[in-house]
Amino acid sequence: IAGINAAMKVGGRDPLVIGRNQGYTGILIDDLITKGADEPYRMFTSRAEFRLHLRIDNADERLTAFGRSVGLVSDARWNKFQRKKIQKERVSDLLARTRLNVSDFPQAVVVGDDRPTLSAWLKRPEAKIGVLRNWIVSQLNCEPEHGLLTTVETELKYEGYIAQQDRQIEHLKKNSGRSIPDGFSYPSIPGLSTEIISKLVRVRPATLGQAARIPGVTPAAVAVLDVYLSLNGRFSGRCST
């Protein structure tokens, strides 16, 4: 990233910035810049607050456009990525409008006379998209791009959780400037560790964004704090009886 941005600077272009929800590189850089390195830094997946978005199977979707924008992705690689995107849309549409039929998919596990759409069926723990592979190939008239079926299956099985994290990401973006009341009781929050509580009590951050920049305060802890600030504001706004 340093090399890329040095070239961007020389070329008079804006720097490349990868966000925390876009790649582990973004998490590493953000942690080192905002929290410092008082001790050896290790890039654990637990440092990511939105791990469902940072999967190995969707790395190309998250990062290829960045690479293309700075001239690091060739035309051949970009065209391959575009083909995969089109195939993904076609497969997702096929699964959403095709109902499960045992005669068409004899290997599929079916309970009773239930005939869900294939996308609904794939959300079940026992369902595997590999059972549908030959049918998908026949519908596409070509082999799916590498990793495509895994990505489609993962996003269907975890669709609700991924949507929830999308909402959390937008919520935290909007609330980084949220004020923390003087004397806010951090020890009363059960989701915070003793170490993080001591840091918050010592620093007494004025906003949620400031709390996030305290060394040792994890993004997950900030998310918990945000929830309790919302609850605190909700109850404090009620009229007493």
Side-chain angles (χ1 to χ4, degrees):
I1 296 297
I4 291 171
N5 283 333
M8 300 292 277
K9 178 73 173 179
V10 171
R13 299 174 60 188
D14 293 333
L16 172 64
V17 178
I18 297 177
R20 296 186 66 92
N21 63 316
Q22 296 167 324
Y24 282 107
T25 297
I27 294 171
L28 181 149
I29 294 171
D30 184 62
D31 280 355
L32 293 178
I33 289 174
T34 61
K35 299 182 179 181
D38 298 331
E39 58 187 39
Y41 184 91
R42 295 176 178 85
M43 185 61 255
F44 296 121
T45 56
S46 59
R47 293 184 182 273
E49 57 270 47
F50 303 115
R51 290 188 289 278
L52 277 177
H53 282 269
L54 304 181
R55 308 187 313 273
I56 190 170
D57 66 275
N58 70 351
D60 56 346
E61 292 184 25
R62 291 184 283 108
L63 301 173
T64 303
F66 284 123
R68 182 69 172 178
S69 69
V70 297
L72 295 177
V73 173
S74 66
D75 289 343
R77 180 68 185 86
W78 181 250
N79 291 337
K80 182 181 178 69
F81 173 63
Q82 293 297 318
R83 285 197 304 273
K84 184 176 178 180
K85 284 180 62 178
I86 294 171
Q87 286 184 358
K88 183 181 177 182
E89 292 173 0
R90 289 185 60 193
V91 170
S92 297
D93 180 62
L94 284 168
L95 296 175
R97 58 186 174 85
T98 304
R99 292 200 169 273
L100 181 63
N101 188 319
V102 179
S103 61
D104 294 331
F105 309 106
Q107 293 178 291
V109 178
V110 182
V111 179
D113 297 325
D114 189 20
R115 291 187 62 212
T117 62
L118 293 176
S119 57
W121 176 73
L122 281 168
K123 293 180 181 181
R124 300 177 180 178
E126 72 278 6
K128 303 297 180 184
I129 200 167
V131 172
L132 311 176
R133 180 180 177 81
N134 290 339
W135 175 78
I136 291 173
V137 170
S138 69
Q139 297 296 311
L140 292 178
N141 292 318
C142 64
E143 280 288 324
E145 291 290 337
H146 177 72
L148 171 65
L149 299 188
T150 300
T151 301
V152 170
E153 181 178 17
T154 300
E155 292 183 354
L156 283 172
K157 288 190 184 297
Y158 296 96
E159 184 177 31
Y161 296 105
I162 293 172
Q164 183 181 22
Q165 284 201 349
D166 284 336
R167 292 191 294 270
Q168 290 174 343
I169 290 170
E170 291 304 314
H171 183 74
L172 286 177
K173 283 181 180 177
K174 294 177 181 177
N175 290 302
S176 61
R178 166 174 281 175
S179 297
I180 300 177
D182 292 336
F184 185 80
S185 178
Y186 297 107
S188 66
I189 302 178
L192 299 181
S193 69
T194 302
E195 179 185 2
I196 288 176
I197 288 173
S198 67
K199 292 177 183 291
L200 291 169
V201 169
R202 184 178 71 252
V203 177
R204 285 291 171 188
T207 66
L208 200 62
Q210 186 180 350
R213 291 190 290 273
I214 299 174
V217 175
T218 64
V222 174
V224 171
L225 178 57
D226 182 42
V227 170
Y228 275 83
L229 284 171
S230 298
L231 292 173
N232 186 64
R234 189 179 305 164
F235 287 118
S236 64
R238 292 181 179 177
C239 297
S240 58
T241 57

